[in-house]
Amino acid sequence: MAPPGRLHNKILEMIAVIGLDESTTLLPTDPELLSEQLSGLNNVALAPQILAAVSGNIAIFPAMSQRPDPTYPPILRRTVSTSESFNQKRSQSVVLPKRKNTRMNGVMVGDVDGIAVLRRTITRRYSCRQVDFVKDSEAETVVKPLELPLNIETLMSLTTLCFPDECFVSVSNCTDTLRYLVLTDIVGTRTYAVSLCCYIRRHIYRDSNGFWRCGESLSSPNTGSRFDDKQIVFVPQCYVFISRSPYFTVMKDCLSRLVQKLKGSHDEWQQLLKEFALQLSMTPIPPPGCVYTQFQLYDVVMTIPAPCGQGRLPVDFNLGIVFQCLDSQTVLLIMTAIMTQQRLLFLSSSYVVLTLVIESFVHFLFPFHWNLTCVPLLPLSLLELVEAPGTFIMGCHIRHRHLVEDIEGLVTINLDNGTAIPCATIDLPLLPVNAVKIFKASIRRTIFPVETWRLEKLSTFGYEETRLAELKERNKLNAELSSIFLEFMVNLFRNLLMHISPEKRFFHREQFLEAVGDYDRPFYELFFTTDLFAAFLKERLDKKQDLWTERILRNKPLSRNSIVGTTTCSYERPWVRTGLCRNAFSLGNLMSDALDINVSGADAETVVTFKLPNFLYGLSHLYLDNCYQEVSLAVSGCDPLSDRHSTYLYLRGMFSAARNKKLSALEDFCSLATVSHKLFPIEFVLDILSSMSEKERQEFESSELYYKSAILREVQAINSTRSLHDDKPIVMELNKIPEKDIDLQWFVELLEMLQICSDAGTAERLFHSLTLGRADVVDPLTFEEFYKCWKDNEVQVHQTIQHLDPLDCVLKTSKLIKCCFGTGHILLTQNRLLYMEEGFIKIRPIVDFVDVKSIEKVQQRTFFREQWGIKIQRLDKREKSFQVSFREETHKWYLLIHEMWSGKILSEETKDPSVLHLAMQNVLIVDAYLHSGEAEISSHYRESIEMSPSLCYYMSKKTSKIKETNELLIKRLDPNAFESKRFAVESVLYTDGYRMKNPDRTDNIGSRIWCGMTNGKVRVFDMEAPFQEYHLFLARNKVKCMLLCPENEVWASSFDLTICIIENLPLVACNRIIQCHSEQIMDMVLSNDSRFVYAAAMNGKVMVWNVETKQKLNELDVIGDGNLRQILCHKDALWCCTHDKLLSVSFDGKVLGKMSFSDQCSSLSHLECFAITSQNEIWICFGGKSHVWICDLESLQRKTNFEVQGGGIGVIVCVQNKVWIGTKDGMLLLIDQESYATDVELIAHSDAICSAFVVDAVQQRVVTGSGCRDGKVAVWQWPLSGKK
């Protein structure tokens, strides 16, 4: 973190000057030349030296007698105590050696008094302690602790990188040259630099020791007339702009203007350098968005564009240079080599092209991050690094091709002729074919207006319109290319998220590979072994949300059997049978969808610039205050909901932190989280919190900000969770079955990781069956045999997939049998029995399970003997029954067919598709259990037949016999399907669908049911495609209430004190977070005009939010003693319910009426909920006992009361002339508002009804959610057929 007075997001880390000047000795790099009396320095390679190093905090000029420069920066220097510093970590000491001839790193540096040699203590971030130094006339000058952004190794490497072709003086003036550099330190931290090398006219002479030295600069031709022509040369100096972000174009522009200024007044170069470094170290980089920062450097206006997306490094050079040098097929080959971590060497005749092309490929790699060796510009002196083992990306001049072309294990890319040639020993796999087709089609539609020759020219000024037009075109192309490559990565790994378990830190590698085609599998097998994938997988297991996950969520699957990101489908759950559906995931199915590339960059027409105030070196200590004031004006002058407002809040928070106003910075960052949580700088906020002194911490914890800032507590929780996950290893596959006994907890985890099942009840039944109820552990041999049988069945059924209907999922294939159809095989699917004739690819249906009346075992007489068979009786008496004998497997097949039939019927009757899936799961488990029981090593050997019926859960399950329940029930959904632990549905919501048209196609977004769970997740089901489910991770506590607001926004409140705002169309998780409540939010309602949201907290406070601006308008202290449970907006009043009273409150907080139930609560328990009917009555329900009080709305007097059946009331809603009451024993009662008679009693759930939502008052549809023992959602409709 940056120290006080310095920006965290500054554009410049430091500027260095490398080369030769009057303070240096001109020493050849070749030691053999030292003893010779050189007559001149023509064509002699010299050793460049560090002439200056200037950051925002310190300036070091080795030629100065005092180091560092005591006049820099030009502010009142004061001691910053340890408690005031942002970072308490230890810093580095810097030792400046005395002036003497010495050899460093094999190079004579001679009189280099001032080259910093760092004694590294520990790796650290920046220190902002007092810069202080002591002198010793004899010893070295010690600066401690010194803040330099780069360590000494990286700093010293500049002397080589700035002069890749050696450093020479010239007798004639040379053209200024540019180099783009990427610097990596020992811990992998990357910094970026632009080096501009210019030549200064000087005279040279010999000193008393016979060494050549530089004299003063000769700024004009006449000043050198007194010297011999042989003594006048042009000496190189490189000015190196170093930044943490790859703004190569901005750095080039700034350096170009600086050098122009220096050439006019070179005698003042040190002062100009200090002014330059100080200004740019106070110039902020904007966050991702539509705001660019703009500042004036001397007389030129510079613009810093915003990054193109969250999590991506900014790119301000033209990415089209890649396709200027290479065709799309070669680009894909290079991407394959990078993703499989080969050793890549780029060759070019231009050093600039080398760096930009390599950085482009690193950018295209997103969401993967290249953290391995990357040296885009490899000088001749370091060319031997190409022979080093390990993975790397390097670049060198094409003139060195003959030195590297025979090195084994390289992929050599020649950018001059556009070829990429892998070494003969490298076997690169082919990329998945469909992803490649989509990529090539997108590239063909893209235009690349790149002129390579411009890259090596210095920037010119005076053509502002031209430069802005170029910036616009460049950003447009970059955004399009970034989107194409992001879509390419999405298509490559679209199906990955369904095979990971974040809670178990597990990725089922084998199952993913089985789901892809044989042609594509070699690429994935190799890629899964790389460090790139390991880091990417860790981010997915940590549930990271970035552009990749957003793109997956936005792309709606075209097939109901396809899975997109966090979207899961019904028929292809991994623990049922991956790949058994013929219409499984295929990139070909997504071809038309993927071609609609959505450019992710900011629209050039909407971009605005934030102009920083003018910088004055003498008043630099006031500059940050001026910036803060300017951005504060911008915050107050823009729409609070706009992206600009988010950017301005971010910048103001950064300026506050730089001014050491920590509370002000935290306040801005908390406000930022409410409007754009994606920009919230988590790591930076953690640094601020950890750097607070005890006094600052006490002040912070006693402030109102701490009282209301749930986001700060969430950040701390995230940090602790991350540390916990860092310690937990990631499992990618189970190569070995455990060698120790397996207890129940471990057994359940193994079944979930192997994706056999994740239902806790099923796992416990299987555990009991494997141990025969006699042991507390399963021995490893038994488990190994069970898993082997499970996999054997999977292999067997794969042989029949290609011949099936897309909706059929094969669970079991019989051995060769004889039946009335002939000799063949019986196939068991989730919907029916099929017959496949031996030797022919022909499938014949036997019977659908919905048409089956009964299944029983019967004795069959054959010509040779009697044997057991299975008789299937159809409902249609005109149809003959089907009989078949499976010989010794008849009992097994009877259990499998009966369980599947029972599950199918129960699923149809209860309209719950999750029942069908659990039945499929049970069938697979029973088959593996019985098969493994035939092995003598199994603990259930010879006893599996007796224990197997306990695994057939649905054979003994009975459906509801109440006719009205089945007639009113439209659909049942299970948001807890296949979860190891079930959670209650605390809130439910229904949103309408829509039709979106564009020039290419029409997409239908179906109506959705939203389920807020007690574990903080929101599950969203598409009603038109009920097998499509979205998982949104919103909170760390239960989602208590959800509300549909205008503009298709869903507000979801959680017990973690936050309100998350989700875009419904299209579905975008957690677009904004509102957090001002200090206690749990119990309920939310929308005002009658839909302009305001009233959010009620448990402590009795109701906050009023503006729906459009997301700003808090008021805070009503409705009930001082708290325990607020429910609120309801009716006409001109807000009705509030507590545990013992009901109040009518005006919208400004004034109590209009009050009903107290203190006496009744002692006998009837507390108030649970209430509703206001169309009869102007208030129905008040008590939670502990099923009592309902009906009171007049005007007089608040009780009219009547009655008791309903059930163990307490959970929810109540009104739909036209009916009141729907959900009880705590799962009953749903429909009561007439006039007669108070119960018209219908429904067995809705097997646990308490926790939530209800009125979908359509006209059609009288209601959605209900239940407690954790049931954990399901049901959709109901009144009236019954024939009733009104």
mmCIF file of all heavy atoms in Angstrom, residues 968-996:
data_model
loop_
_atom_site.group_PDB
_atom_site.id
_atom_site.type_symbol
_atom_site.label_atom_id
_atom_site.label_comp_id
_atom_site.label_asym_id
_atom_site.label_seq_id
_atom_site.Cartn_x
_atom_site.Cartn_y
_atom_site.Cartn_z
ATOM 1 N N LEU A 968 -54.459 -28.673 -7.520
ATOM 2 C CA LEU A 968 -54.027 -27.286 -7.363
ATOM 3 C C LEU A 968 -52.544 -27.105 -7.624
ATOM 4 O O LEU A 968 -52.095 -26.015 -7.964
ATOM 5 C CB LEU A 968 -54.344 -26.774 -5.944
ATOM 6 C CG LEU A 968 -55.641 -25.957 -5.817
ATOM 7 C CD1 LEU A 968 -56.841 -26.846 -5.998
ATOM 8 C CD2 LEU A 968 -55.695 -25.253 -4.482
ATOM 9 N N LEU A 969 -51.779 -28.168 -7.443
ATOM 10 C CA LEU A 969 -50.332 -28.066 -7.610
ATOM 11 C C LEU A 969 -49.980 -27.991 -9.091
ATOM 12 O O LEU A 969 -50.317 -28.875 -9.874
ATOM 13 C CB LEU A 969 -49.653 -29.280 -6.966
ATOM 14 C CG LEU A 969 -48.123 -29.324 -7.037
ATOM 15 C CD1 LEU A 969 -47.520 -28.153 -6.271
ATOM 16 C CD2 LEU A 969 -47.613 -30.648 -6.485
ATOM 17 N N ILE A 970 -49.276 -26.905 -9.476
ATOM 18 C CA ILE A 970 -48.834 -26.741 -10.858
ATOM 19 C C ILE A 970 -47.459 -27.351 -11.058
ATOM 20 O O ILE A 970 -47.199 -28.067 -12.017
ATOM 21 C CB ILE A 970 -48.804 -25.246 -11.236
ATOM 22 C CG1 ILE A 970 -50.213 -24.649 -11.147
ATOM 23 C CG2 ILE A 970 -48.229 -25.052 -12.628
ATOM 24 C CD1 ILE A 970 -50.255 -23.174 -11.425
ATOM 25 N N LYS A 971 -46.583 -27.061 -10.123
ATOM 26 C CA LYS A 971 -45.195 -27.497 -10.278
ATOM 27 C C LYS A 971 -44.530 -27.476 -8.919
ATOM 28 O O LYS A 971 -44.863 -26.664 -8.051
ATOM 29 C CB LYS A 971 -44.451 -26.566 -11.241
ATOM 30 C CG LYS A 971 -43.073 -27.007 -11.638
ATOM 31 C CD LYS A 971 -42.546 -26.125 -12.746
ATOM 32 C CE LYS A 971 -43.395 -26.270 -13.999
ATOM 33 N NZ LYS A 971 -42.875 -25.491 -15.135
ATOM 34 N N ARG A 972 -43.572 -28.397 -8.749
ATOM 35 C CA ARG A 972 -42.770 -28.409 -7.532
ATOM 36 C C ARG A 972 -41.287 -28.412 -7.937
ATOM 37 O O ARG A 972 -40.872 -29.143 -8.810
ATOM 38 C CB ARG A 972 -43.091 -29.642 -6.679
ATOM 39 C CG ARG A 972 -42.627 -29.526 -5.230
ATOM 40 C CD ARG A 972 -42.941 -30.794 -4.465
ATOM 41 N NE ARG A 972 -44.344 -31.038 -4.323
ATOM 42 C CZ ARG A 972 -45.106 -30.571 -3.335
ATOM 43 N NH1 ARG A 972 -44.548 -29.816 -2.402
ATOM 44 N NH2 ARG A 972 -46.379 -30.827 -3.288
ATOM 45 N N LEU A 973 -40.523 -27.560 -7.281
ATOM 46 C CA LEU A 973 -39.100 -27.425 -7.576
ATOM 47 C C LEU A 973 -38.299 -27.661 -6.312
ATOM 48 O O LEU A 973 -38.777 -27.380 -5.204
ATOM 49 C CB LEU A 973 -38.795 -26.021 -8.125
ATOM 50 C CG LEU A 973 -39.573 -25.603 -9.375
ATOM 51 C CD1 LEU A 973 -39.362 -24.126 -9.654
ATOM 52 C CD2 LEU A 973 -39.150 -26.429 -10.576
ATOM 53 N N ASP A 974 -37.106 -28.164 -6.489
ATOM 54 C CA ASP A 974 -36.249 -28.473 -5.338
ATOM 55 C C ASP A 974 -34.934 -27.708 -5.443
ATOM 56 O O ASP A 974 -34.006 -28.154 -6.108
ATOM 57 C CB ASP A 974 -35.971 -29.978 -5.265
ATOM 58 C CG ASP A 974 -35.238 -30.374 -3.992
ATOM 59 O OD1 ASP A 974 -35.014 -29.492 -3.148
ATOM 60 O OD2 ASP A 974 -34.894 -31.558 -3.848
ATOM 61 N N PRO A 975 -34.821 -26.551 -4.794
ATOM 62 C CA PRO A 975 -33.542 -25.814 -4.820
ATOM 63 C C PRO A 975 -32.436 -26.498 -4.037
ATOM 64 O O PRO A 975 -31.279 -26.091 -4.129
ATOM 65 C CB PRO A 975 -33.918 -24.459 -4.193
ATOM 66 C CG PRO A 975 -35.125 -24.739 -3.367
ATOM 67 C CD PRO A 975 -35.865 -25.830 -4.057
ATOM 68 N N ASN A 976 -32.779 -27.540 -3.262
ATOM 69 C CA ASN A 976 -31.778 -28.292 -2.509
ATOM 70 C C ASN A 976 -31.407 -29.606 -3.183
ATOM 71 O O ASN A 976 -30.743 -30.444 -2.556
ATOM 72 C CB ASN A 976 -32.291 -28.585 -1.099
ATOM 73 C CG ASN A 976 -32.282 -27.358 -0.210
ATOM 74 O OD1 ASN A 976 -31.237 -26.832 0.124
ATOM 75 N ND2 ASN A 976 -33.469 -26.884 0.161
ATOM 76 N N ALA A 977 -31.843 -29.773 -4.426
ATOM 77 C CA ALA A 977 -31.600 -31.056 -5.102
ATOM 78 C C ALA A 977 -30.119 -31.381 -5.137
ATOM 79 O O ALA A 977 -29.301 -30.549 -5.522
ATOM 80 C CB ALA A 977 -32.168 -31.009 -6.516
ATOM 81 N N PHE A 978 -29.788 -32.584 -4.699
ATOM 82 C CA PHE A 978 -28.429 -33.122 -4.748
ATOM 83 C C PHE A 978 -27.443 -32.345 -3.892
ATOM 84 O O PHE A 978 -26.248 -32.362 -4.133
ATOM 85 C CB PHE A 978 -27.939 -33.191 -6.192
ATOM 86 C CG PHE A 978 -28.860 -33.947 -7.096
ATOM 87 C CD1 PHE A 978 -29.733 -33.281 -7.929
ATOM 88 C CD2 PHE A 978 -28.876 -35.320 -7.078
ATOM 89 C CE1 PHE A 978 -30.604 -33.982 -8.741
ATOM 90 C CE2 PHE A 978 -29.735 -36.033 -7.893
ATOM 91 C CZ PHE A 978 -30.599 -35.360 -8.727
ATOM 92 N N GLU A 979 -27.939 -31.658 -2.906
ATOM 93 C CA GLU A 979 -27.065 -31.013 -1.929
ATOM 94 C C GLU A 979 -26.887 -31.949 -0.745
ATOM 95 O O GLU A 979 -27.817 -32.658 -0.355
ATOM 96 C CB GLU A 979 -27.663 -29.685 -1.449
ATOM 97 C CG GLU A 979 -27.753 -28.618 -2.529
ATOM 98 C CD GLU A 979 -26.408 -28.044 -2.884
ATOM 99 O OE1 GLU A 979 -25.453 -28.280 -2.115
ATOM 100 O OE2 GLU A 979 -26.302 -27.367 -3.925
ATOM 101 N N SER A 980 -25.708 -31.919 -0.152
ATOM 102 C CA SER A 980 -25.448 -32.794 0.984
ATOM 103 C C SER A 980 -26.204 -32.344 2.229
ATOM 104 O O SER A 980 -26.430 -33.131 3.137
ATOM 105 C CB SER A 980 -23.944 -32.836 1.281
ATOM 106 O OG SER A 980 -23.451 -31.526 1.517
ATOM 107 N N LYS A 981 -26.577 -31.072 2.265
ATOM 108 C CA LYS A 981 -27.339 -30.536 3.388
ATOM 109 C C LYS A 981 -28.465 -29.688 2.842
ATOM 110 O O LYS A 981 -28.275 -28.904 1.915
ATOM 111 C CB LYS A 981 -26.428 -29.701 4.297
ATOM 112 C CG LYS A 981 -27.125 -29.162 5.534
ATOM 113 C CD LYS A 981 -26.161 -28.357 6.388
ATOM 114 C CE LYS A 981 -26.863 -27.804 7.624
ATOM 115 N NZ LYS A 981 -25.935 -26.997 8.463
ATOM 116 N N ARG A 982 -29.654 -29.843 3.417
ATOM 117 C CA ARG A 982 -30.813 -29.110 2.937
ATOM 118 C C ARG A 982 -30.988 -27.824 3.742
ATOM 119 O O ARG A 982 -30.724 -27.775 4.938
ATOM 120 C CB ARG A 982 -32.078 -29.969 3.030
ATOM 121 C CG ARG A 982 -31.973 -31.266 2.253
ATOM 122 C CD ARG A 982 -33.303 -31.978 2.166
ATOM 123 N NE ARG A 982 -34.231 -31.300 1.276
ATOM 124 C CZ ARG A 982 -34.235 -31.417 -0.048
ATOM 125 N NH1 ARG A 982 -33.333 -32.178 -0.643
ATOM 126 N NH2 ARG A 982 -35.123 -30.780 -0.776
ATOM 127 N N PHE A 983 -31.466 -26.794 3.041
ATOM 128 C CA PHE A 983 -31.668 -25.489 3.657
ATOM 129 C C PHE A 983 -33.103 -25.027 3.423
ATOM 130 O O PHE A 983 -33.733 -25.390 2.427
ATOM 131 C CB PHE A 983 -30.697 -24.457 3.076
ATOM 132 C CG PHE A 983 -29.250 -24.775 3.342
ATOM 133 C CD1 PHE A 983 -28.494 -25.484 2.415
ATOM 134 C CD2 PHE A 983 -28.648 -24.378 4.520
ATOM 135 C CE1 PHE A 983 -27.166 -25.779 2.657
ATOM 136 C CE2 PHE A 983 -27.318 -24.673 4.773
ATOM 137 C CZ PHE A 983 -26.578 -25.371 3.843
ATOM 138 N N ALA A 984 -33.586 -24.210 4.343
ATOM 139 C CA ALA A 984 -34.943 -23.693 4.245
ATOM 140 C C ALA A 984 -35.033 -22.629 3.155
ATOM 141 O O ALA A 984 -34.075 -21.904 2.882
ATOM 142 C CB ALA A 984 -35.388 -23.120 5.584
ATOM 143 N N VAL A 985 -36.205 -22.541 2.549
ATOM 144 C CA VAL A 985 -36.480 -21.501 1.559
ATOM 145 C C VAL A 985 -37.107 -20.328 2.315
ATOM 146 O O VAL A 985 -38.308 -20.315 2.585
ATOM 147 C CB VAL A 985 -37.411 -22.017 0.451
ATOM 148 C CG1 VAL A 985 -37.608 -20.953 -0.623
ATOM 149 C CG2 VAL A 985 -36.869 -23.296 -0.162
ATOM 150 N N GLU A 986 -36.276 -19.345 2.664
ATOM 151 C CA GLU A 986 -36.725 -18.236 3.504
ATOM 152 C C GLU A 986 -37.576 -17.232 2.750
ATOM 153 O O GLU A 986 -38.377 -16.529 3.351
ATOM 154 C CB GLU A 986 -35.518 -17.518 4.111
ATOM 155 C CG GLU A 986 -34.873 -18.254 5.264
ATOM 156 C CD GLU A 986 -35.741 -18.220 6.515
ATOM 157 O OE1 GLU A 986 -36.537 -17.292 6.664
ATOM 158 O OE2 GLU A 986 -35.611 -19.142 7.336
ATOM 159 N N SER A 987 -37.383 -17.129 1.445
ATOM 160 C CA SER A 987 -38.139 -16.160 0.657
ATOM 161 C C SER A 987 -38.308 -16.681 -0.755
ATOM 162 O O SER A 987 -37.453 -17.409 -1.258
ATOM 163 C CB SER A 987 -37.445 -14.794 0.648
ATOM 164 O OG SER A 987 -36.111 -14.915 0.205
ATOM 165 N N VAL A 988 -39.413 -16.317 -1.381
ATOM 166 C CA VAL A 988 -39.678 -16.701 -2.764
ATOM 167 C C VAL A 988 -40.159 -15.482 -3.540
ATOM 168 O O VAL A 988 -40.709 -14.536 -2.967
ATOM 169 C CB VAL A 988 -40.734 -17.836 -2.864
ATOM 170 C CG1 VAL A 988 -40.162 -19.144 -2.373
ATOM 171 C CG2 VAL A 988 -41.990 -17.477 -2.102
ATOM 172 N N LEU A 989 -39.927 -15.523 -4.857
ATOM 173 C CA LEU A 989 -40.308 -14.413 -5.725
ATOM 174 C C LEU A 989 -40.556 -14.964 -7.115
ATOM 175 O O LEU A 989 -39.913 -15.926 -7.545
ATOM 176 C CB LEU A 989 -39.187 -13.362 -5.759
ATOM 177 C CG LEU A 989 -39.405 -12.135 -6.643
ATOM 178 C CD1 LEU A 989 -40.511 -11.254 -6.067
ATOM 179 C CD2 LEU A 989 -38.119 -11.329 -6.781
ATOM 180 N N TYR A 990 -41.484 -14.322 -7.822
ATOM 181 C CA TYR A 990 -41.796 -14.702 -9.200
ATOM 182 C C TYR A 990 -41.603 -13.482 -10.081
ATOM 183 O O TYR A 990 -42.064 -12.374 -9.756
ATOM 184 C CB TYR A 990 -43.234 -15.200 -9.295
ATOM 185 C CG TYR A 990 -43.685 -15.553 -10.697
ATOM 186 C CD1 TYR A 990 -43.548 -16.844 -11.185
ATOM 187 C CD2 TYR A 990 -44.257 -14.591 -11.524
ATOM 188 C CE1 TYR A 990 -43.960 -17.181 -12.472
ATOM 189 C CE2 TYR A 990 -44.672 -14.907 -12.811
ATOM 190 C CZ TYR A 990 -44.520 -16.202 -13.275
ATOM 191 O OH TYR A 990 -44.929 -16.530 -14.547
ATOM 192 N N THR A 991 -40.874 -13.643 -11.191
ATOM 193 C CA THR A 991 -40.693 -12.553 -12.149
ATOM 194 C C THR A 991 -41.140 -13.016 -13.520
ATOM 195 O O THR A 991 -40.923 -14.171 -13.906
ATOM 196 C CB THR A 991 -39.226 -12.094 -12.218
ATOM 197 O OG1 THR A 991 -38.394 -13.210 -12.572
ATOM 198 C CG2 THR A 991 -38.771 -11.542 -10.871
ATOM 199 N N ASP A 992 -41.763 -12.098 -14.277
ATOM 200 C CA ASP A 992 -42.248 -12.422 -15.617
ATOM 201 C C ASP A 992 -41.094 -12.522 -16.596
ATOM 202 O O ASP A 992 -40.024 -11.930 -16.396
ATOM 203 C CB ASP A 992 -43.236 -11.357 -16.094
ATOM 204 C CG ASP A 992 -44.538 -11.407 -15.303
ATOM 205 O OD1 ASP A 992 -44.983 -12.517 -14.976
ATOM 206 O OD2 ASP A 992 -45.085 -10.327 -15.004
ATOM 207 N N GLY A 993 -41.315 -13.238 -17.687
ATOM 208 C CA GLY A 993 -40.313 -13.361 -18.734
ATOM 209 C C GLY A 993 -40.443 -12.244 -19.746
ATOM 210 O O GLY A 993 -41.272 -11.337 -19.628
ATOM 211 N N TYR A 994 -39.616 -12.305 -20.763
ATOM 212 C CA TYR A 994 -39.658 -11.292 -21.824
ATOM 213 C C TYR A 994 -39.075 -11.878 -23.093
ATOM 214 O O TYR A 994 -38.416 -12.901 -23.095
ATOM 215 C CB TYR A 994 -38.900 -10.036 -21.399
ATOM 216 C CG TYR A 994 -37.407 -10.097 -21.576
ATOM 217 C CD1 TYR A 994 -36.753 -9.231 -22.432
ATOM 218 C CD2 TYR A 994 -36.633 -11.055 -20.902
ATOM 219 C CE1 TYR A 994 -35.378 -9.276 -22.592
ATOM 220 C CE2 TYR A 994 -35.270 -11.107 -21.061
ATOM 221 C CZ TYR A 994 -34.644 -10.223 -21.909
ATOM 222 O OH TYR A 994 -33.288 -10.279 -22.072
ATOM 223 N N ARG A 995 -39.317 -11.173 -24.169
ATOM 224 C CA ARG A 995 -38.789 -11.563 -25.478
ATOM 225 C C ARG A 995 -37.834 -10.470 -25.948
ATOM 226 O O ARG A 995 -38.203 -9.304 -26.053
ATOM 227 C CB ARG A 995 -39.924 -11.751 -26.478
ATOM 228 C CG ARG A 995 -39.454 -12.164 -27.877
ATOM 229 C CD ARG A 995 -40.651 -12.350 -28.792
ATOM 230 N NE ARG A 995 -41.427 -13.489 -28.372
ATOM 231 C CZ ARG A 995 -41.238 -14.720 -28.788
ATOM 232 N NH1 ARG A 995 -40.262 -14.974 -29.639
ATOM 233 N NH2 ARG A 995 -41.978 -15.710 -28.363
ATOM 234 N N MET A 996 -36.590 -10.845 -26.224
ATOM 235 C CA MET A 996 -35.574 -9.894 -26.659
ATOM 236 C C MET A 996 -35.260 -10.146 -28.128
ATOM 237 O O MET A 996 -34.951 -11.265 -28.524
ATOM 238 C CB MET A 996 -34.298 -10.043 -25.830
ATOM 239 C CG MET A 996 -33.190 -9.094 -26.235
ATOM 240 S SD MET A 996 -31.682 -9.369 -25.261
ATOM 241 C CE MET A 996 -31.191 -10.975 -25.929
#
